[in-house]
Structures are given as structure tokens and as C-alpha cells.
Amino acid sequence: MKFMKLGAKVDIFHTDGNVTSVATDLSSDVVIKVDDAQLHLHKFPLLCKSGKLQKLIAEAREMSTNEIDLEDFPGGNESLELCMKFCYGIAITFNAYNVVPVRCGAEYLEMTEAIEKGNLIYKLEVFLNTSIFRSWKDSIIVLQSCKALMPWSEDLKIVARCIDSIASKTATDPAKVDWSFTHTRTPTATVTSVEHSTTDLTSPPWNGIQSRRHRVVPKDWWAEDILELEMDFYWRVMVAIKAKGMAQDLVGEALRLYAMRWLPGLSKEDSAPRPSAAASVPCEAIEVAGKHRLLLETIVNLLPAEKGTSCCSFLLKLLKAATILNASPSCKMELARRIGLQLEEATLDDLLIPSLSYTNNTLFDVDVIQHILEHFLMQDQSPPVSPTRARQPGESRRRTRSAENIDFSESRRATCATHSSKLKVAKLIDSYLAEIARDPNIQVSKFVSLAEAIPDFARPVHDGLYRGIDMFLKEHPNLSKSDRKRICRLMDCKKLSMDACMHAAQNERLPLRVVVQVLFFEQDAGTPEEAWDTVHHDFNALKGDLANMKKRIAEAERERTNIQIEAVKQSSKQKATFPFPSISKKFLGKFFNQQSKGPIEVTKGSDTSTKDSESSGSGGLA
């Protein structure tokens, strides 16, 4: 902490009760009253330093009195005493805690350069500009002390200069932050924190060697240091920080920390009791609730406009607090709009916002969830289209196919993400329906309206919806027949899983018509599947048989080919053994028989003998 010492004389001020006097041989000739305190002083040192006291002392002399009453003196008796010690030349020390009250008191007393060169105002301004506003912690301390000194501190631009100093330092690169700060969280405690390693040369040497110890400085190192600022100052500091170009996610994280620090009911440890119409609320409680409501609306106004800069869970906690504190409708609707932009990040516990309306006795505020869901569904789901860029001189009109493919892929990814978020939200709303169905005072129309708001494609399976319907029928056994049909009409039996179908088929709370539909669709869905399994099995068997048949045919073809080749070979051999194929077997047989009997004798001119021989030969062969 920076400090400044002025004066060199020993302190001769003595206080007894509410009376302060100066221990000198000269008796006091003027009495200055501030609040309930009295300061018995001397005119001469005061007239040399203060233009205000010159006027007041002259007026008192005309009225024949030595008493001067300083009404509304900034800083009170302590501030006045320091100003008077400066007039006496007594050694005093200024720091961040007392510089603002004394600076305002000096302004009140007109301790300017016109009265004396090097007067108190000049010295304090030098101290502020050269020391206080250059220090991170001192700037915060001075700003905190300005609250009790309004409007003096505001008129003297001390508040504005403190805010500018703080905002400028938050924009410093974390790698260059070399001053101490009160950041106590671990680096992993904040998702938005981006760590930077800096070297700390202030660590003591180890083993005689100066060590260079590295410490981690997250980007939001400043967020916890300004948590203790009063709401008005915090709002102005955050506005200045945003104007300096601070990252939107860091602004959102700082607001979350401030809300968790000062707003009740945002953490699990805090609990906010539900007010009763008959209960008498003390005036102090009403005043505190009013401050909290103003704080909540201020935080909502400071939230960054960019989507995703504040987590959905935090926004829903703010909405819960807005309901409990009875914030303005515009504040609630703004929170509902922001939550709707990122509803897929919410959890079931986040959506269970209590209903504090006296017009109904429901446990949860279903209407605000309906508004949130409407904002979610109103988002533009079409793929983003980039604005047409002005073509540079000489740039070709033709786009490459790869560039077109990249744009198409990006559009597809954006569409898939949107579809995935709708599926998540559908499951979330189905779980919410099952939870609010336990409320005996929930109206059928609200239940049905919320269930129908989900698009059909976002509910590929109706198990979650069936669970909510079953819970509603269980908790409302006296429903009329038409209401039971109306609720059950929300469910598509064809989209129930096998387990849900088995449960629904035995559910006595469902109308008979719904049970019959479940049984019909269950059987209708099961038979084709079994038939398809059979067909698939037969097809595989037939495929195997066909393969075997093809194999056997191929083997038969190979055998037939081999037989034909062998026959050709045999035929070739026979041709080589019998060169006269026209000779009949009968002739050959006759020839061989004659050879066995002896040589044949032929007589010229005897045809008959020849024919007889042939006849007998023939008969012999036969």
C-alpha cells in the first residue's frame, strides 16, 4: 500500500472525550464544532491555510463569538482533525484509507494554492495521481471509501478516476501482471480462466541461489478483487471494463461471481422460504428484498448480449431469484429469452423454478418454462449464410469445388448441432413433465400445452413422454374420461420401446383403447421382424446350396471334358491300328477262319464253287 508523510512536528493534539485541544502555552481562541465533537484551536495557523475558515472566523468576530459550527463536514471529526494537524505542521501519514476524506475536507475548507503555495489540496492530488491511481489495490480501496463521501468524491472526480484506473488495469495482459491480487481459486476452478505463467522474483532464495518461481495468472484474476464493491460502483466499473474491450465470457464470469456473493438462494447452501399470504413480513425484510431485487436487475442489464457468455445454469438461478424476489416482468422475460438460446445446456434441477403466484397453488412455474421453450424453438435453424463479400480487383468469379464442399460441410455441422440440441431439449422437457406431473394442482391444459410444444421429429422415442403421462394419471386418479383421453393422445404407441410397451400393456391406469393399440403395435412390430429373420436365414441357406450346386456343376464339367479328351485319344489309337476302315468285321472273321482251315483254292471259270465256298464259309461263321 502506498503512503505519504507530511509535516515534521510532534503530535500535540490531545483528546478527552469529545473535546480535542492543543497542548501549548497559548490558550485556544477559536472552537470548531463538528457533529458532537469540539476542537479548541488557534486562529493564526488556520487562517494561513484555509480560505473557508478565514470567512467563518471573520463572521464569528462580527457576532462576538469564538465558536464556529461546520455543518455537513465531509469525513467528520477525524477528517477535520487531520486537516487541522496539517495546518499546525504536525507529522501525519496519508494512505488509501484516509486520503479521500481528507481530500474532501480540504476542498470544504478551501485549502487551495490561492491561500498558500503547496497547500493540502495540491499535495493530496499529487499523491492520488502519482501513487494511488497507479496501484491496483489502492484504487479499489479508495473507490470503496468514496461511498460515504458522496457527492464530494463524485464532484472531485475521485470516483471516475478510480473506475478508469481499475478498468485500465483489468485490460492488462495477464502475462504482464506483476502486482499482487487476492485471487484464491485454483486454476481449474474457473472454466473461463486462461492460465498464463509469470515469473515471481520475490520468492526467498533457496540454498543461496535466487529461485525463479513461476505462478499462474488466469485471465479473470481481477474478478474476485472487485466483489466487495458497492452495487452502484460495481455497475460503473463493469461498464468501463466492457468499454475497454474485455472478453464477453470473462465479463459473464465476473457477474456470476458477484451474483453468487451477494444474491441469496443462488447456491445450494442458501434457501429462500416461500412467502405466505397470511405471514407478516417485517419492514427490514422488505427493504433487504428491495435491494436484492435492484441488484438482480442490475446484473441482468450487465449480462453480455453474446450467446454462451453466461452458462445456462447460472441464468436459470437468476430466474429463480427473480421469481422469489418478485422482479419486474421485463427482467424475467429477458432471462427467459437468454435461457432459451442455450436451453440444451440446462438440467432438470435447473428447470424446477418455484411458483410464488397467489393465483394458483402449483409447485413450479410452468408458464416461464413454456416461454423459455418458445424462445428456444424460435431460433433460426437454417444453416448460416455468409454475407456476400465484395470481389477484389482481378479476383476470379469461379469458386473451387473444395471451397464449396467446405461451406457445405460447415452448414451440415451447424444443422446437425441444432438437431442434436432439439433432441436434448425434448428429453429434458419429458423429464420435466414427469416431475411436474406429481403436482396435484397442475392443470391438464398446461401439461398438454408444454408436451405438444416439442416437434415430432425431436421425439423419436416416446418412453419419456409415457413416463410423464403415467405419473400424471397416477397422481390425478379423478380425471374425467375426456381428460384422460386428451393426455394419452399425446403419446404415439408406435414410438414406444419394447420395455415401455410391456409396461403399458399391463398398466391399468391407461384407457382400454390405448392398451389395445399398444398390444396391436407391439404384435405388428414383432411379426415382420421374426418373418424377416426367417427369410434372412432361408436366403443364406439357399445361397449356400446354390454355391454347392455351382461347385458340383463345375466338377461335372471337368469330368465331361476329361472323358471327351480320353475318347479322342482312344479314337486316334484305333485309326493308327486299322488303316482300312471299310473292311467289315464279317470279312475279317471269314478271313481268320480260312486261315485256320488252310489256304483257299480258286478255279478259273468256276463261279459256282466260289459262291458255294462263300456260302459254306458264311454258314461256318454264323
Side-chain angles (χ1 to χ4, degrees):
M1 179 180 291
K2 305 293 184 179
F3 63 91
M4 179 181 68
K5 289 185 178 181
L6 296 177
K9 294 181 180 179
V10 180
D11 189 359
I12 55 177
F13 276 52
H14 175 71
T15 301
D16 183 11
N18 60 345
V19 177
T20 300
S21 57
V22 181
T24 61
D25 295 337
L26 298 176
S27 59
S28 62
D29 53 4
V30 62
V31 178
I32 300 178
K33 295 181 179 180
V34 177
D35 300 331
D36 295 333
Q38 295 182 3
L39 280 79
H40 295 259
L41 306 173
H42 303 86
K43 296 179 180 178
F44 177 73
L46 306 184
L47 295 174
C48 296
K49 303 288 184 179
S50 171
K52 179 77 171 180
L53 290 179
Q54 289 177 2
K55 300 174 185 176
L56 294 177
I57 289 174
E59 293 176 359
R61 185 184 302 112
E62 293 178 359
M63 299 176 61
S64 302
T65 180
N66 63 346
E67 294 183 357
I68 298 175
D69 192 1
L70 299 180
E71 298 180 355
D72 301 325
F73 187 82
N77 179 45
E78 295 180 0
S79 173
L80 178 62
E81 185 173 331
L82 289 174
C83 292
M84 296 299 99
K85 286 182 178 181
F86 174 79
C87 295
Y88 278 85
I90 297 174
I92 51 180
T93 301
F94 294 104
N95 53 42
Y97 290 100
N98 61 10
V99 64
V100 177
V102 177
R103 174 65 182 86
C104 295
E107 189 71 20
Y108 180 95
L109 295 174
E110 300 176 7
M111 302 175 75
T112 63
E113 293 296 286
I115 303 299
E116 185 182 63
K117 293 294 182 181
N119 211 339
L120 184 56
I121 290 179
Y122 171 76
K123 293 182 180 298
L124 292 178
E125 282 295 324
V126 171
F127 178 56
L128 286 170
N129 294 326
T130 60
S131 298
I132 295 297
F133 296 142
R134 293 186 179 183
S135 169
W136 166 253
K137 282 189 175 181
D138 289 346
S139 297
I140 295 176
I141 294 171
V142 167
L143 182 59
Q144 289 175 313
S145 66
C146 288
K147 180 64 179 177
L149 296 165
M150 299 290 280
W152 286 92
S153 58
E154 189 72 66
D155 295 340
L156 295 175
K157 309 295 183 183
I158 299 177
V159 174
R161 287 183 285 174
C162 283
I163 291 173
D164 183 69
S165 171
I166 294 171
S168 299
K169 288 176 175 57
T170 59
T172 304
D173 184 359
K176 299 180 180 179
V177 173
D178 56 355
W179 53 80
S180 61
F181 55 94
T182 60
H183 189 82
T184 57
R185 290 171 294 154
T186 57
T188 56
T190 304
V191 219
T192 57
S193 298
V194 178
E195 303 170 7
H196 291 272
S197 178
T198 60
T199 303
D200 185 7
L201 298 178
T202 62
S203 58
W206 177 81
N207 198 20
I209 302 176
Q210 179 69 38
S211 63
R212 298 175 67 88
R213 178 169 57 87
H214 291 272
R215 60 190 177 92
V216 172
V217 180
K219 273 192 172 182
D220 58 349
W221 59 268
W222 48 270
E224 286 191 355
D225 285 355
I226 61 176
L227 290 182
E228 301 302 321
L229 290 179
E230 192 270 339
M231 181 182 63
D232 292 341
F233 288 158
Y234 185 85
W235 179 80
R236 294 173 63 178
V237 168
M238 291 304 299
V239 170
I241 289 175
K242 293 171 70 175
K244 296 288 184 181
M246 180 62 65
Q248 298 296 301
D249 56 340
L250 299 181
V251 173
E253 173 64 13
L255 292 172
R256 186 189 69 83
L257 292 174
Y258 193 77
M260 298 291 288
R261 173 69 176 83
W262 296 108
L263 280 178
L266 292 191
S267 61
K268 294 182 179 179
E269 292 77 13
D270 296 336
S271 59
R274 176 170 176 157
S276 173
S280 59
V281 182
C283 296
E284 294 182 359
I286 296 177
E287 183 180 355
V288 171
K291 291 182 179 179
H292 287 157
R293 181 167 55 250
L294 181 59
L295 172 60
L296 171 67
E297 294 175 353
T298 301
I299 292 175
V300 173
N301 290 332
L302 286 172
L303 288 174
E306 186 178 349
K307 175 183 176 181
T309 52
S310 298
C311 65
C312 188
S313 177
F314 168 58
L315 295 176
L316 281 162
K317 287 178 180 179
L318 289 180
L319 185 56
K320 285 184 182 179
T323 303
I324 294 172
L325 296 173
N326 194 23
S328 63
S330 60
C331 177
K332 293 181 182 179
M333 288 301 100
E334 174 62 18
L335 286 172
R337 184 191 68 82
R338 290 176 178 271
I339 295 169
L341 296 178
Q342 49 196 94
L343 183 57
E344 67 275 9
E345 302 173 8
T347 63
L348 177 59
D349 291 338
D350 295 332
L351 294 185
L352 299 179
I353 300 174
S355 174
L356 303 181
S357 174
Y358 298 120
T359 58
N360 58 72
N361 295 322
T362 56
L363 296 176
F364 304 109
D365 193 343
V366 183
D367 294 334
V368 72
I369 301 300
Q370 183 85 35
H371 290 310
I372 292 174
L373 183 58
E374 290 174 358
H375 284 295
F376 172 78
L377 296 174
M378 282 192 302
Q379 294 183 88
D380 185 11
Q381 304 295 347
S382 60
V385 179
S386 301
T388 303
R389 182 174 59 91
R391 188 164 50 91
Q392 300 297 328
E395 184 180 0
S396 175
R397 292 176 177 269
R398 182 179 179 273
R399 300 186 63 203
T400 62
R401 183 173 297 275
S402 59
E404 295 175 356
N405 292 337
I406 291 173
D407 291 346
F408 177 74
S409 300
E410 292 178 351
S411 300
R412 287 295 302 272
R413 281 197 296 269
T415 306
C416 291
T418 301
H419 180 73
S420 174
S421 65
K422 284 193 173 183
L423 294 178
K424 291 180 181 179
V425 170
K427 291 182 179 179
L428 179 64
I429 294 300
D430 286 347
S431 301
Y432 181 76
L433 289 171
E435 192 66 29
I436 65 174
R438 305 174 188 269
D439 185 2
N441 297 320
I442 189 69
Q443 299 176 5
V444 176
S445 58
K446 289 189 176 182
F447 185 90
V448 172
S449 177
L450 186 59
E452 290 178 340
I454 299 296
D456 292 338
F457 74 88
R459 261 199 201 108
V461 180
H462 277 207
D463 287 12
L465 180 59
Y466 166 66
R467 192 178 301 111
I469 292 173
D470 182 47
M471 184 61 64
F472 195 95
L473 297 177
K474 179 180 178 181
E475 297 296 332
H476 302 79
N478 298 324
L479 277 179
S480 64
K481 186 177 180 179
S482 59
D483 285 340
R484 289 165 64 88
K485 289 182 178 180
R486 183 183 178 188
I487 291 178
C488 293
R489 201 177 294 121
L490 296 170
M491 178 178 59
D492 188 352
C493 299
K494 292 182 292 185
K495 294 185 178 182
L496 293 178
S497 66
M498 186 59 66
D499 293 338
C501 285
M502 293 175 61
H503 185 277
Q506 304 174 16
N507 194 342
E508 298 179 354
R509 291 184 287 270
L510 295 177
L512 182 59
R513 179 184 60 84
V514 177
V515 176
V516 171
Q517 286 182 354
V518 170
L519 292 173
F520 173 77
F521 287 119
E522 181 183 5
Q523 183 178 6
D524 187 58
T527 302
E529 184 176 357
E530 293 174 6
W532 174 252
D533 291 341
T534 305
V535 170
H536 186 67
H537 180 270
D538 294 344
F539 175 75
N540 288 336
L542 183 60
K543 191 176 180 180
D545 293 342
L546 183 60
N548 293 333
M549 185 176 294
K550 287 182 178 180
K551 184 177 180 182
R552 293 173 61 185
I553 291 174
E555 292 177 355
E557 288 289 338
R558 283 195 298 270
E559 285 187 23
R560 178 173 170 274
T561 304
N562 292 336
I563 291 172
Q564 289 178 348
I565 294 173
E566 192 67 28
V568 172
K569 287 181 179 179
Q570 292 294 334
S571 176
S572 300
K573 288 181 180 180
Q574 290 176 1
K575 288 180 180 181
T577 307
F578 305 106
F580 307 105
S582 60
I583 301 176
S584 64
K585 290 182 180 181
K586 184 176 181 181
F587 175 78
L588 290 175
K590 181 178 179 182
F591 174 77
F592 285 119
N593 288 334
Q594 292 295 331
Q595 287 292 331
S596 61
K597 293 179 180 181
I600 302 174
E601 294 181 359
V602 179
T603 303
K604 289 183 179 180
S606 181
D607 293 334
T608 308
S609 61
T610 304
K611 292 179 181 178
D612 293 340
S613 299
E614 289 177 2
S615 300
S616 62
S618 299
L621 285 173

